[in-house]
Amino acid sequence: MSNSKISIRNYSLRYSDGVQALKNVSLEIHANAINVLFGPSGGGKSSLLRSINRLIDLADVDETSGQILFNGVNILDKEMPVSQLRRKIGMVFSRPIPLPKSIFENVAFGLRVAGENDPAVLHSKVEEALKQAYLWEEVYDRLDDPGISISGGQQQRLCLARVLALEPEVIMLDEPTSALDPVTTARIESFLQEIKDRITVIIAPHNMSQSARVADYATFFLQGELIEVGAGSKLFVNPQDQRTQDYVEGRFG
């Protein structure tokens, strides 16, 4: 059994419009593993990801309760230095958001903010991150071009590289391959398997087949509730809750 990297304890989240996004969720995020959150749209997956690195601070939230412990520290504490937290827990969104900068500076941005200004170190880390995101071969000769000048799928990998450059402890991905072709999707999935021994992965895939392929541990969410959690090898084959089984077998969602 993997040790726990993040412990979510009785966590609830309600937005200002009255939507109860998460209802009393308790969940262990296992270190050195791929942790999959799956379920139909509106289940609370994205809200949980945004809570884990305090992106909900930017949302119109009415109330939160419970705890989210990262390395034993409650990240919901008002004293938590959020910028440091987000360097340790990186986030890749379903819709890529390149910075209004060059390809190179998109990846170097976080490193510069963290205080790294040595040109040789920056170039080395940018190159390594772009290689990890399977983008280097496509952009190595145009690093000064704007980040928005490349295709949507390339922009997605650029955003992944930006997160990887900071060498986070946790990487969270919200439908990260929904805009990618099957070959690139397979490469990214393979890469996640490679890095999980040093980076904890939390992913909300865009389809059931990807969830089943990559999950070491899987959690099924439905209308803000955690319905079932277990090893991926078992949960997708033999779910214990009828609602999970119905979703896995395509009866709804």
Side-chain angles (χ1 to χ4, degrees):
M1 175 71 76
S2 299
N3 61 320
S4 179
K5 186 70 172 177
I6 298 171
S7 294
I8 300 157
R9 298 181 178 173
N10 305 114
Y11 180 65
S12 295
L13 167 66
R14 186 173 69 243
Y15 291 113
S16 298
D17 61 4
V19 173
Q20 186 76 39
L22 293 163
K23 305 170 187 175
N24 200 37
V25 170
S26 292
L27 174 65
E28 300 299 320
I29 300 295
H30 298 276
N32 307 118
I34 297 177
N35 300 265
V36 163
L37 313 180
F38 75 103
S41 178
K45 307 181 298 295
S46 294
S47 290
L48 183 59
L49 293 178
R50 285 165 170 74
S51 297
I52 290 172
N53 73 347
R54 290 281 295 273
L55 282 169
I56 56 162
D57 291 10
L58 308 174
D60 205 0
V61 172
D62 184 45
E63 183 182 16
T64 62
S65 62
Q67 293 182 314
I68 299 177
L69 304 178
F70 171 56
N71 292 333
V73 177
N74 184 17
I75 64 102
L76 299 177
D77 191 310
K78 292 190 181 346
E79 305 302 314
M80 168 62 66
V82 175
S83 60
Q84 292 182 26
L85 176 71
R86 290 176 185 156
R87 284 204 291 270
K88 294 178 180 178
I89 304 179
M91 178 87 175
V92 179
F93 299 95
S94 55
R95 181 172 173 268
I97 310 173
L99 300 171
K101 298 174 179 290
S102 69
I103 293 170
F104 182 92
E105 289 300 332
N106 259 273
V107 183
F109 177 78
L111 295 166
R112 292 192 190 278
V113 171
E116 182 57 70
N117 289 302
D118 183 305
V121 173
L122 286 172
H123 190 276
S124 174
K125 287 184 176 292
V126 168
E127 179 177 343
E128 177 62 21
L130 286 169
K131 285 179 176 176
Q132 289 180 330
Y134 296 96
L135 188 57
W136 174 255
E137 292 297 327
E138 298 170 34
V139 301
Y140 71 91
D141 57 348
R142 49 189 297 207
L143 296 176
D144 292 330
D145 288 2
I148 59 171
S149 68
I150 55 181
S151 72
Q154 290 173 325
Q155 289 180 26
Q156 181 69 301
R157 285 176 283 154
L158 179 64
C159 293
L160 175 59
R162 189 168 71 208
V163 169
L164 292 170
L166 289 168
E167 299 178 359
E169 293 182 36
V170 178
I171 183 169
M172 303 192 297
L173 307 104
D174 192 359
E175 300 187 357
T177 62
S178 58
L180 302 183
D181 63 88
V183 172
T184 306
T185 294
R187 287 175 176 171
I188 296 297
E189 290 178 5
S190 176
F191 169 67
L192 295 178
Q193 297 290 348
E194 292 170 15
I195 66 168
K196 70 182 182 182
D197 63 338
R198 65 181 191 276
I199 302 176
T200 297
V201 178
I202 312 173
I203 180 171
H206 68 284
N207 61 42
M208 179 62 59
S209 58
Q210 184 174 62
S211 297
R213 281 197 305 271
V214 303
D216 292 313
Y217 298 92
T219 305
F220 177 54
F221 283 89
L222 182 64
Q223 296 179 323
E225 294 185 46
L226 190 162
I227 303 300
E228 187 171 354
V229 60
S233 59
K234 295 181 180 178
L235 193 145
F236 292 104
V237 177
N238 186 29
Q240 299 303 298
D241 190 287
Q242 186 63 47
R243 292 166 293 181
T244 311
Q245 184 167 340
D246 288 346
Y247 183 74
V248 169
E249 295 180 354
R251 295 195 182 99
F252 71 96

